[in-house]
Amino acid sequence: MKDNVYITTAIPYVNGVPHIGHAMDYCLADVCARYHKMLGQSVRFQAGTDEHGNKIYLKAKEKNIPVQEYVDENAAKFQDFIHTLGVSYTDFIRTTDPEHEKRCQEIWRKLSAHIYLAKYEGWYCTGCERFVTEKECTENHGICPDHQKAYERLEEENYYFRISDFKERICKAIETDEMLILPDFRKKEMLKLLEESPDVSISRPKAQLTWGVPVPGDDTQVMYVWLDALANYITVLGYPDKDISDYWPALAQFVGKDILRFHAIIWPAMLIGLGLPLPKTLVSHGMVLANGQKMSKSIGNVVDPMEVLEKHGLDAFRYFFLRHIDTFADSDFTWDKFEEAYNNELANDLGNLVQRLATLAAKNHITADEKKNDLPLEYRELMDKYEFSKAFDFVWARVQGINRKIDEEKPWSLAKDGKKTELEECMTGLMSELTDAARMLSPFIPSTAEKILAIFAGEVVPPETPLFPKQ
Ligand code: MSP
């Protein structure tokens, strides 16, 4: 097994404040990072903010704030959010960092054999920051289904990136899983998009948009926001100034399903053009919905993640997001579901279990065995396949199993009847199962796992207050 691993997250646009959906990339990548650290690997973990493009430029103008000031303000809110979520990133990048911009220009130069100037006549969606084909525009009746906004007609001179130079190679990488796409059914979707993909426009005239990285050698153009954004994954490691081979290729890149297409087509084309290896896995997660609907400010169903965090704490938030929001499918966030999971599962299944076992152990002076068992194979397999919500279910079934065993073996009766040896055997077995479960929980709910391990380290000290007080 390689000892160094690199994990990345999509960098959000800073045209607003973080919403609950943004937590998905961070939580999943954080589980992955913590799991690999637990396996003893050295992890680099990138996070950052995407600060160029039309969308941001227009929003700043609308608010009448200088663009740099606007992105500074919002980038800080994303950084706060990431900290609040307990994300264990090691590298943070802002695409307005001068270092990143300089490195993007060098990347452009290195790709110049695959770049040509031509006229673009077609459609653009500012919401997606994407050039849209005639066919797609017609199929959607001229309106972007994700943003409910009419596509904009563009007629301009742009630089193009010759995707056709790389199609065969990318296709092979997807088909052979050299660049594994998860979930599996998205593979076909990406292969079809790749086959239909024209060369992509990778610049905008400055006359239309000034907010971007200047194209080297042509001061009338700025880079298309996606080119500069995708490059972040390697510029943050120092490319091309530094040798990045200790960490690149990435083990896993986490992105939402809505932006997988950029990562499965333009991104590998850039990497192949630069002579770099492709990422090992692209993990595309589903969307967080509110009552089955996409969250949107206009519908008024956006859930503020800070409200959840303030009300119930970090591990309750991570618990819900990582277990009840499916890793790959779209899932609903509702306050009812959240509160039910909190009270029935976190407070009852786990919190009560810890309290009961610790109190019994302390009262009867039984110390926990500190032997660490190997992680179960089934857990390892699920984690290695990025099936995090299923791995979490697996651990939870163990937690519920311990609860059942307590009820069956009734250690309190053994204590009452003075059966010291049986009691000790029963309790050490239960405590060992619980600490095994806590280790498996540590990538998901790290501070709770740490508390449980501390309670049962040698002399057992029951917590003064329940881990998850009922609400
Ligand atoms: N800036 C680009 C990403 C560039 S990566 C080189 C972007 N930004 S975004 O702010 O729109 O989205 C950032 C991440 O949040 C994406 O992975 C996206 O899929 C995810 N999500 C945004 N809304 C979401 C939900 N409602 N649910 C789950 N994830 C969602 O795209």
Side-chain angles (χ1 to χ4, degrees), residues 370-409:
E370 293 197 47
K371 182 172 153 271
K372 279 190 196 169
N373 292 313
D374 288 343
L375 294 168
L377 190 64
E378 195 172 341
Y379 172 81
R380 287 282 305 259
E381 280 174 356
L382 290 167
M383 294 297 277
D384 291 341
K385 286 194 290 191
Y386 305 93
E387 292 276 8
F388 297 152
S389 48
K390 289 206 175 89
F392 210 158
D393 284 344
F394 170 84
V395 188
W396 214 259
R398 291 274 177 117
V399 168
Q400 288 167 328
I402 307 172
N403 275 306
R404 267 197 308 276
K405 251 193 201 167
I406 295 199
D407 292 340
E408 281 159 20
E409 295 179 7

Side-chain angles (χ1 to χ4, degrees), residues 335-393:
W335 279 105
D336 284 353
K337 278 191 193 176
F338 186 94
E339 273 150 17
E340 202 181 300
Y342 180 92
N343 285 320
N344 294 345
E345 296 160 15
L346 282 174
N348 279 353
D349 291 348
L350 187 63
N352 272 355
L353 170 66
V354 170
Q355 199 78 35
R356 275 167 99 191
L357 266 188
T359 310
L360 258 170
K363 209 167 140 195
N364 293 286
H365 309 290
I366 302 171
T367 50
D369 184 355
E370 293 197 47
K371 182 172 153 271
K372 279 190 196 169
N373 292 313
D374 288 343
L375 294 168
L377 190 64
E378 195 172 341
Y379 172 81
R380 287 282 305 259
E381 280 174 356
L382 290 167
M383 294 297 277
D384 291 341
K385 286 194 290 191
Y386 305 93
E387 292 276 8
F388 297 152
S389 48
K390 289 206 175 89
F392 210 158
D393 284 344

Side-chain angles (χ1 to χ4, degrees), residues 24 256-259 285-289 325 328-332:
M24 212 43 202
K257 65 174 189 185
D258 54 332
I259 57 165
H285 61 77
M287 295 290 122
V288 185
L289 308 172
I325 302 281
F328 296 118
D330 293 352
S331 311
D332 241 358

